[in-house]
Amino acid sequence: MALPYTIQIRPVKDESGEYFFATVAELDGCQSHGDSFHEAYESVREAMEGHLSVMLEHGDTIPEPVGENDYSGKFNVRVPKSLHRQLVERAAAENVSLNQYCLYKLSR
């Protein structure tokens, strides 16, 4: 429980009303909700305890939290030659590298 698991909380507005929905990214199916952000956080922490307890009882492997060191900052993408040409031309027009141009486009 003390490990830095990724808790994601988002506001939801649907047919059942307005509430906050919380999940734990590394623990598939571990989720909860609450009327406030704080309530959803406390509720998902309780759900984590139960989720981890059941996993331990069944001898399941407990997933490690994802950390910043798990990402290299690199990935390869294969694109059609025509798109590659367009990207190179647009990067040249902006007087930046293809890498910088793609980073700019992806971050928008």
Side-chain angles (χ1 to χ4, degrees), residues 29-99:
C30 185
Q31 60 191 33
S32 193
H33 66 278
D35 291 331
S36 69
F37 185 93
H38 180 74
E39 189 178 305
Y41 177 79
E42 293 300 323
S43 184
V44 81
R45 293 286 295 174
E46 288 179 29
M48 282 175 65
E49 285 184 37
H51 194 93
L52 292 170
S53 293
V54 169
M55 290 181 80
L56 288 171
E57 286 175 20
H58 291 266
D60 296 335
T61 302
I62 305 295
E64 292 287 324
V66 175
E68 286 299 316
N69 294 335
D70 295 327
Y71 301 99
S72 68
K74 296 187 253 182
F75 66 95
N76 295 317
V77 179
R78 299 213 183 272
V79 297
K81 289 179 181 181
S82 59
L83 177 57
H84 188 193
R85 180 182 49 77
Q86 288 174 358
L87 292 170
V88 168
E89 289 172 353
R90 289 182 185 156
E94 296 288 331
N95 200 29
V96 297
S97 70
L98 176 60
N99 189 63

